[in-house]
Amino acid sequence: MNILVTGGAGYIGSHTIIELLNQGYKSIYSIDNYINSDESNYSKIEEITGESITYLNLDLKNVDSLRSFFKEYRIETVIHFAALKSVPDSVQNPELYYDNNLFSLINLLTCIKEFGVKQLIFSSSCSIYGNPEVLPVNEQTPFGIAESPYATTKQMGEMILRDFSKINPQVKIISLRYFNPVGAHKSGLIGEAFTKRPNNLLPIITQTAAGLRTELTVFGSDYNTNDGSCIRDYIHVVDVATAHVKAINYLSTMVGENFDVINLGTGTGTSVLEMIHSFEKVSGVKLNYILGERRVGDVETIYADNSKAKKLLKWNAEFNIDDMVDSAWKWQQNMKI
């Protein structure tokens, strides 16, 4: 099976390629424009697995280049990660997120239809649920009011896919709604992309512990939660990657409807302050943090009902919060070498 991973040099993409190789998939192709990733991740994948893949520098918004790729390589399954993903950045630059995330998907679907691709796995997000009234959220929970343009692009992406699936029954599609992927590969060679000003909590924690930041701000301490900070369903990136491999197997056996959605989460909510305290316990490093104002675009509390993933994908999250922070800290320390 020839598998295309878009955004394969990125955080979740690179971990998924590792798991695909570990499960015996050999014909893997990756395209990436390296906006939020680094080409060097491919050599790290080879170092970890002993296997190499075919990869190209290609922007999904260039439909002619994309067509040329599909014409050359007979792709059967697409795993679509490539997208801009920062909630705060999307609030500041909404037009950039609509342009990149939606037109990239449309171009990809154009090629999937034109070149007879049979399966598509879409990278969605729990942000589509907004601030849910009932917890945990399951796949029947309706879309909420999107708290950011990023979340809106994921809602619109799923609507596009649902409409596409109705007139293209030959293409089997699954949308995996991630909750909050964190952590790094156990080797310490692959992890969340290093930036000087990350927006995600755990990289901010590890950078503060490493002395790259003087302090960490907890955005909001007056939410209606156990300790006043936001609650998320954090899930180890390797668990997310493993789910994609299992999703390929599920698509091959899907009957009836050719479009499905599945939550990927642990089913447990962890607050920002609980994540901080877990890191301090595991690493032995005391963090310098302050309690700040709420941040625009943040949801108060969300965590998953993951029973559908367990049933259909035969998948379960294997790593706990301590595992997540431990692997992220190892990745951060390796980056200093």
Side-chain angles (χ1 to χ4, degrees):
M1 178 185 292
N2 290 349
I3 301 173
L4 168 62
V5 180
T6 72
Y11 179 41
I12 304 176
S14 59
H15 283 84
T16 298
I17 289 173
I18 290 170
E19 295 307 311
L20 287 167
L21 291 168
N22 286 343
Q23 291 301 313
Y25 291 96
K26 301 298 182 184
S27 300
I28 301 173
Y29 303 84
S30 175
I31 54 180
D32 203 305
N33 62 7
Y34 309 122
I35 290 179
N36 290 316
S37 60
D38 196 293
E39 187 176 347
S40 66
N41 276 344
Y42 295 119
S43 62
K44 295 174 184 177
I45 290 171
E46 185 171 0
E47 183 177 349
I48 291 168
T49 65
E51 303 281 351
S52 61
I53 68 166
T54 300
Y55 56 89
L56 296 87
N57 184 340
L58 194 154
D59 193 325
L60 291 175
K61 290 198 299 177
N62 187 329
V63 70
D64 291 332
S65 295
L66 195 57
R67 277 197 173 98
S68 296
F69 170 85
F70 275 92
K71 186 178 294 185
E72 182 172 355
Y73 302 101
R74 189 172 176 275
I75 300 299
E76 298 161 87
T77 296
V78 174
I79 305 177
H80 180 42
F81 293 111
L84 298 175
K85 65 174 186 176
S86 167
V87 168
D89 186 47
S90 76
V91 173
Q92 295 299 318
N93 301 285
E95 71 289 348
L96 181 63
Y97 277 68
Y98 291 122
D99 177 62
N100 184 83
N101 293 1
L102 297 178
F103 282 105
S104 292
L105 175 60
I106 290 168
N107 288 344
L108 188 60
L109 291 175
T110 297
C111 291
I112 284 173
K113 182 176 182 178
E114 185 175 337
F115 293 94
V117 176
K118 299 301 183 185
Q119 299 182 158
L120 169 64
I121 301 171
F122 178 65
S123 171
S124 191
S125 165
C126 68
S127 63
I128 62 160
Y129 296 117
N131 271 298
E133 295 181 1
V134 178
L135 293 168
V137 294
N138 60 34
E139 290 79 3
Q140 283 70 52
T141 301
F143 286 177
I145 297 173
E147 296 294 322
S148 68
Y150 164 74
T152 304
T153 67
K154 291 302 181 183
Q155 291 179 338
M156 295 176 71
E158 287 202 9
M159 289 188 281
I160 290 168
L161 290 173
R162 190 176 295 278
D163 289 340
F164 178 86
S165 71
K166 291 176 182 177
I167 58 170
N168 293 281
Q170 75 282 6
V171 185
K172 296 179 179 180
I173 303 171
I174 185 170
S175 180
L176 297 180
R177 296 171 173 174
Y178 316 152
F179 279 65
N180 289 76
V182 296
H185 191 266
K186 63 182 180 181
S187 66
L189 294 174
I190 296 260
E192 194 158 5
F194 175 81
T195 61
K196 292 183 178 179
R197 303 299 298 179
N199 293 303
N200 297 334
L201 175 61
L202 195 47
I204 294 174
I205 286 175
T206 60
Q207 285 189 13
T208 304
L212 301 176
R213 304 168 66 98
T214 57
E215 65 182 15
L216 127 72
T217 301
V218 176
F219 292 107
S221 59
D222 58 349
Y223 286 103
N224 185 29
T225 61
N226 60 322
D227 58 21
S229 63
C230 289
I231 291 177
R232 298 287 181 271
D233 188 338
Y234 296 101
I235 178 171
H236 199 291
V237 65
V238 173
D239 280 330
V240 175
T242 301
H244 286 78
V245 180
K246 291 184 178 293
I248 293 175
N249 298 332
Y250 170 61
L251 282 171
S252 66
T253 61
M254 183 188 289
V255 294
E257 294 293 328
N258 64 318
F259 177 75
D260 207 351
V261 298
I262 297 181
N263 286 339
L264 290 185
T266 65
T268 301
T270 301
S271 75
V272 172
L273 289 172
E274 286 171 338
M275 176 73 87
I276 288 172
H277 298 326
S278 173
F279 179 84
E280 290 179 328
K281 177 186 69 175
V282 169
S283 68
V285 178
K286 185 69 175 176
L287 292 169
N288 179 31
Y289 66 89
I290 61 172
L291 303 180
E293 298 297 320
R294 297 186 183 191
R295 184 173 60 178
V296 176
D298 280 344
V299 170
E300 178 175 282
T301 300
I302 191 165
Y303 54 94
D305 176 343
N306 60 9
S307 57
K308 188 174 180 179
K310 291 180 179 180
K311 179 181 178 181
L312 297 185
L313 302 185
K314 307 295 188 282
W315 168 93
N316 197 18
E318 300 293 335
F319 299 94
N320 61 32
I321 285 293
D322 288 351
D323 297 325
M324 298 175 206
V325 298
D326 185 53
S327 63
W329 183 225
K330 183 177 181 181
W331 160 243
Q332 179 72 60
Q333 290 175 305
N334 279 353
M335 285 193 292
K336 294 171 64 177
I337 296 174

